[in-house]
């Protein structure tokens, strides 16, 4: 995989993440200038996990994103289709129920989870709409979805600067800190190809989610979408 399109082959994406698993969390911290920590805090607030609730963290990678839910007392299932990511996560958090799974065909029964969430992974799933329908299927009635994903800055001058960073500055930084810098070139291109905030909200509604809303973080670099299952 050398160019980013929305027609992704799952085995190629999984292999790419296998290759970057060892330094994935460090690389994200460097490339986001530490902003990823703030974004994850906002996800945790939006999910609002409670003791004894069941939370699905899809595209959890090494389960860094899962930790706030576990600390809140929820039963959290980190799920990912990259076995390399899961191995690193299991080494770091051996007590967590890591599960291998494809976002377009989740290995869970209907109406299982009180909350489902995915951070920075939806754009890497081959069929976005099918993934949103699967998240809907495994959520209990009254349950919620929270999606944190790179998006499009709302202020045009800032958007220009941001896109320059993605395509010019990100690759050399990735070469310095990542085990597979080409993967981050793909990620930069996938961000540019991703739908904007209103379009993603429309996809959520089409998948059945109600009360869909979003808010921008860091000027729209990231958007936090939320919805509920009637």
């Amino acid at each position: 995989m050398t160019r980013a399109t929305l027609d992704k082959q799952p085995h190629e994406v999984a292999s790419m993440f296998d290759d970057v698993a060892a330094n994935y969390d460090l690389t994200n911290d460097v490339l986001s200038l530490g902003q990823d920590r703030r974004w994850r805090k906002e996800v945790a607030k939006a999910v609002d996990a409670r003791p004894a609730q069941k939370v699905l963290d899809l595209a959890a990678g090494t389960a860094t994103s899962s930790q706030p839910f576990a600390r809140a007392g929820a039963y959290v299932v980190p799920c990912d289709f990259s076995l390399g990511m899961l191995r690193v996560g299991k080494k770091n958090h051996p007590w967590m129920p890591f599960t291998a799974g494809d976002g377009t065909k989740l290995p869970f029964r209907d109406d299982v989870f009180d909350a489902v969430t995915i951070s920075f992974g939806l754009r890497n799933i081959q069929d976005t709409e099918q993934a949103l329908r699967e998240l809907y299927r495994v959520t209990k009635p009254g349950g919620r979805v929270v999606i944190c994903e790179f998006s499009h800055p709302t202020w045009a001058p800032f958007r220009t600067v941001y896109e320059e960073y993605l395509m010019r500055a990100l690759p050399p930084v990735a070469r310095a800190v990542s085990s597979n810098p080409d993967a981050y070139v793909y990620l930069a291109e996938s961000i540019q190809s991703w739908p904007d905030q209103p379009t993603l909200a429309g996809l959520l509604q089409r998948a059945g989610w109600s009360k869909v809303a979003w808010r921008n973080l860091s000027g729209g670099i990231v958007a936090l979408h939320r919805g509920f299952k009637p």
Side-chain angles (χ1 to χ4, degrees):
M1 178 181 294
T2 55
R3 304 296 296 177
T5 70
L6 299 185
D7 183 22
K8 296 168 280 290
Q9 297 302 312
H11 68 279
E12 292 180 317
V13 179
S15 176
M16 179 187 73
F17 280 102
D18 289 345
D19 290 342
V20 301
N23 295 322
Y24 185 70
D25 293 323
L26 171 63
T27 304
N28 285 346
D29 205 29
V30 171
L31 294 179
S32 70
L33 306 178
Q35 286 294 296
D36 62 316
R37 300 177 201 176
R38 176 182 164 237
W39 298 333
R40 293 193 190 283
K41 287 180 181 178
E42 294 300 324
V43 171
K45 289 180 187 176
V47 171
D48 191 25
R50 304 292 177 86
Q53 287 188 337
K54 293 181 179 177
V55 177
L56 171 63
D57 188 11
L58 184 58
T62 61
T64 296
S65 57
S66 306
Q67 300 314 303
F69 315 132
R71 287 194 293 269
Y75 178 79
V76 55
V77 178
C79 181
D80 204 288
F81 68 168
S82 166
L83 296 180
M85 287 286 193
L86 294 174
R87 288 190 195 100
V88 172
K90 193 68 175 177
K91 182 179 178 181
N92 294 336
H93 311 288
W95 51 276
M96 299 195 78
F98 286 88
T99 303
D102 184 337
T104 63
K105 192 174 182 181
L106 293 171
F108 308 107
R109 299 190 309 274
D110 296 356
D111 306 329
V112 171
F113 296 98
D114 297 282
V116 294
T117 183
I118 179 169
S119 294
F120 308 112
L122 187 59
R123 73 185 189 286
N124 296 317
I125 297 178
Q126 185 178 35
D127 189 334
T128 303
E129 294 189 64
Q130 175 61 19
L132 294 176
R133 287 192 294 267
E134 275 292 275
L135 287 170
Y136 184 90
R137 178 184 67 79
V138 302
T139 302
K140 295 177 181 179
R144 56 207 181 276
V145 63
V146 174
I147 297 171
C148 183
E149 186 55 87
F150 288 110
S151 198
H152 299 270
T154 53
W155 188 45
F158 177 52
R159 184 165 59 244
T160 300
V161 171
Y162 173 62
E163 290 178 353
E164 286 291 309
Y165 168 73
L166 278 179
M167 301 313 300
R168 294 178 183 269
L170 188 146
V173 173
R175 276 192 288 273
V177 297
S178 172
S179 53
N180 183 2
D182 288 342
Y184 286 89
V185 175
Y186 158 76
L187 291 175
E189 293 175 342
S190 73
I191 291 168
Q192 290 189 317
S193 301
W194 186 244
D196 63 13
Q197 293 88 325
T199 302
L200 180 55
L203 294 179
L204 276 159
Q205 291 170 331
R206 198 151 71 190
W209 298 97
S210 67
K211 300 179 183 176
V212 174
W214 78 87
R215 65 188 182 92
N216 293 314
L217 304 177
S218 301
I221 288 177
V222 165
L224 204 61
H225 283 72
R226 286 168 286 183
F228 294 85
K229 182 172 180 175

